[in-house]
Amino acid sequence: MRFNDILGHEKELGLINNYIEGGFFSGGYVFSGPEGIGKKEIALIAAEKLNCVSDGIRPCGLCGSCIKIEKGQHPDLHFIESGSSQIKIEDIRSLQREINFRPYEGVVKVFIINDAHKLNPEAANSLLKVLEEPPAGSLIILVTHKPSSIFKTVLSRCKTIRFSPLRPILLKEVLMERYSVDGELAHFLASYSEGRLGLALRLKDSAAIREKNKVLDSFILSGKPLDRSLAALSKDGLRSFLNMAASWFRDVYILKAGAVPEESLIHLDRRDDLSELARRFSFRQLDGIINTVSESLSYLDGNINTKLILHNLGAQLWTV
Ligand SMILES: [Zn+2]
């Protein structure tokens, strides 16, 4: 990969580029920002630039070093992640051992700790010792969407680079051009994911999105208080439905408020239905519905019966 292959993030990439060119991109860094916006990919591309052997623009994406990093086979690139569990002290002990060796074939040893908020206290403590005196020729990048869950002592030893999501309009273009998504769906995915490419791509192939119009028709627009297919949904299924409903009524609300550019509607493909609901409901009723949806979402994290949640939402929708 090359810097140009990364979409958006010009400011953050510019910063990293300057650090590397200036020769002080070493020690500890935190890459923070929402999930699914490419922080990990940028950490990898930084590792490529530091180790690329090309005489031209670096990273070249073509030399042996770049290719090995992309494939995750470079002996000087270490990737630490733990899936759903915590990152434990053993993971950091192996980093401690490795970091003191000189690079095997590259210039800089790079350690990427993905979801660094999962470091448990012992692991964080152990990492702190490394960060206090990182060996020359080494770089540790902590990637996280929850920087507030990382120990302050660890954060204070690192420089933080904050990443923002892409502008939805740019993400829409990307989805159309690089992933051949049609215009309407690309608009929806870009706005619904709030500019997060990773999330948009995951949603693109999910049943919830493929069937979003069916769900809207059968539950929100039909006037039937409780659709059977919804009552059978799992918690996760219900969560995506409620998120969908939240985005739908957000659209109804801003359309009713008027004077909004059409492009800011998430469900632009359903503009006529949105307008009809904007006429049917008062602002007060919409406030009530939006509150019920967001309360339902918070109840979902507790142990409340999902049928009860749907019943309340249904009652709110069809008795107003
Ligand atoms: Zn290269």
Side-chain angles (χ1 to χ4, degrees):
M1 282 211 290
R2 302 171 62 153
F3 270 41
N4 288 347
D5 294 326
I6 300 279
L7 304 156
H9 304 303
E10 291 87 1
K11 199 178 77 221
E12 298 90 335
L13 283 171
L15 203 59
I16 293 169
N17 201 36
N18 289 345
Y19 286 153
I20 295 178
E21 299 284 338
F24 42 85
F25 198 54
S26 63
Y29 280 81
V30 173
F31 284 11
S32 79
E35 266 184 296
I37 60 169
K39 300 181 296 295
K40 200 167 72 183
E41 288 73 15
I42 293 175
L44 279 172
I45 212 168
E48 276 183 43
K49 183 170 173 92
L50 287 164
N51 288 296
C52 177
V53 297
S54 162
D55 293 330
I57 293 174
R58 282 181 292 179
C60 68
L62 299 168
C63 69
S65 171
C66 283
I67 289 172
K68 277 187 191 171
I69 288 179
E70 249 167 69
K71 288 187 177 164
Q73 294 168 349
H74 198 292
D76 297 313
L77 171 72
H78 298 267
F79 206 74
I80 298 168
E81 63 183 342
S82 63
S84 55
S85 56
Q86 292 185 318
I87 301 173
K88 301 195 180 69
I89 192 158
E90 299 85 74
D91 301 312
I92 302 304
R93 283 215 180 103
S94 70
L95 175 152
Q96 263 174 327
R97 268 194 309 275
E98 273 296 323
I99 205 166
N100 285 309
F101 294 120
R102 293 157 65 98
Y104 294 104
E105 57 182 69
V107 182
V108 178
K109 280 189 115 105
V110 181
F111 297 82
I112 298 173
I113 305 181
N114 196 34
D115 285 344
H117 49 270
K118 290 185 180 157
L119 282 162
N120 74 14
E122 294 80 28
N125 243 323
S126 170
L127 179 64
L128 188 61
K129 291 196 189 96
V130 184
L131 288 168
E132 274 164 1
E133 233 171 313
S138 70
L139 171 71
I140 301 173
I141 301 177
L142 283 73
V143 177
T144 182
H145 58 273
K146 284 186 194 160
S148 58
S149 302
I150 297 182
F151 285 84
K152 289 211 170 55
T153 42
V154 170
L155 285 179
S156 69
R157 294 277 165 190
C158 299
K159 287 196 193 78
T160 294
I161 299 182
R162 288 186 185 81
F163 290 79
S164 316
L166 296 180
R167 280 178 296 123
I169 191 133
L170 175 63
L171 179 52
K172 177 183 174 183
E173 279 170 31
V174 169
L175 289 168
M176 290 169 69
E177 283 165 23
R178 296 205 184 177
Y179 298 93
S180 313
V181 177
D182 77 61
E184 268 185 0
L185 182 60
H187 173 88
F188 170 76
L189 291 171
S191 350
Y192 191 66
S193 69
E194 298 176 326
R196 290 174 283 177
L197 174 63
L199 178 60
L201 291 177
R202 259 204 322 278
L203 287 172
K204 176 171 82 74
D205 302 314
S206 77
I209 299 306
R210 266 201 312 278
E211 294 178 8
K212 76 140 181 131
N213 282 327
K214 209 172 100 191
V215 169
L216 290 171
D217 288 336
S218 67
F219 188 63
I220 296 174
L221 294 169
S222 70
K224 281 184 239 149
L226 254 187
D227 185 280
R228 270 215 194 103
S229 60
L230 281 174
L233 280 178
S234 65
K235 256 193 181 185
D236 278 346
L238 188 54
R239 184 173 285 112
S240 23
F241 165 73
L242 288 169
N243 278 320
M244 187 71 73
S247 68
W248 176 261
F249 284 104
R250 166 241 181 232
D251 271 5
V252 175
Y253 195 99
I254 64 168
L255 199 58
K256 190 173 181 68
V260 287
E262 293 238 316
E263 285 295 310
S264 67
L265 294 175
I266 297 172
H267 300 271
L268 188 57
D269 58 326
R270 304 292 300 262
R271 199 195 181 291
D272 293 345
D273 292 317
L274 291 169
S275 299
E276 199 196 309
L277 291 189
R279 277 191 298 274
R280 196 200 301 171
F281 293 123
S282 68
F283 279 119
R284 224 172 113 194
Q285 288 168 325
L286 286 171
D287 273 336
I289 293 171
I290 291 168
N291 273 337
T292 308
V293 174
S294 86
E295 276 171 13
S296 305
L297 272 165
S298 63
Y299 291 151
L300 259 191
D301 296 325
N303 238 349
I304 292 206
N305 187 319
T306 51
K307 279 196 187 114
L308 189 64
I309 291 177
L310 280 171
H311 179 79
N312 285 345
L313 183 62
Q316 177 105 35
L317 278 182
W318 291 285
T319 52
V320 286

